[in-house]
Amino acid sequence: MVLSLAAVTILAVIAALRRDTYDTAIYRDYFQYCHQSDPQWAFYDDQNFELGFQLLTRSIAAATEDPREYFFVLTFVGMACTLHAARMFRVAPLALVLYFAASLYPLLF
């Protein structure tokens, strides 16, 4: 479990420090938009983000204005949920994190 948590932390740091990409710019812009606008609670807001993502982003935006912290928390929370699911389904947590890091993570980050 300690190795899995270390791997998740490393992935979150990589996500926090990544340079501008097309995806990064979209999420960074939305994060900044959340600081400048009032919530429009609907299934999709005027930026076309789902309600759950709006709640998560606005929660992080309430705590920080630093996009690096936003990307770190967003990635860490998502991967922590993945670790929890691995334990629930009796899959080796480190194996799942390594699979995600090696195959899916580069596509997302």
Side-chain angles (χ1 to χ4, degrees):
M1 188 61 183
V2 173
L3 287 175
S4 301
L5 196 55
V8 165
T9 303
I10 290 168
L11 292 174
V13 167
I14 290 169
L17 298 178
R18 70 185 175 157
R19 303 230 189 268
D20 274 340
T21 64
Y22 175 75
D23 290 340
T24 305
I26 291 170
Y27 294 112
R28 182 175 288 126
D29 288 347
Y30 186 68
F31 178 68
Q32 292 169 347
Y33 168 83
C34 288
H35 284 105
Q36 301 165 356
S37 66
D38 293 328
Q40 298 175 9
W41 301 120
F43 189 73
Y44 289 101
D45 66 1
D46 61 347
Q47 301 292 306
N48 295 317
F49 281 99
E50 298 88 354
L51 181 59
F53 190 76
Q54 293 173 52
L55 291 169
L56 181 59
T57 298
R58 287 192 180 275
S59 297
I60 298 169
T64 184
E65 292 185 11
D66 188 349
R68 291 172 299 187
E69 292 175 9
Y70 167 64
F71 284 118
F72 178 87
V73 171
L74 193 64
T75 304
F76 191 87
V77 168
M79 291 302 297
C81 291
T82 301
L83 284 179
H84 182 66
R87 282 196 311 245
M88 284 176 30
F89 292 108
R90 294 189 174 101
V91 175
L94 184 58
L96 183 64
V97 170
L98 291 177
Y99 172 76
F100 185 79
S103 62
L104 302 175
Y105 194 79
L107 298 175
L108 298 174
F109 296 104

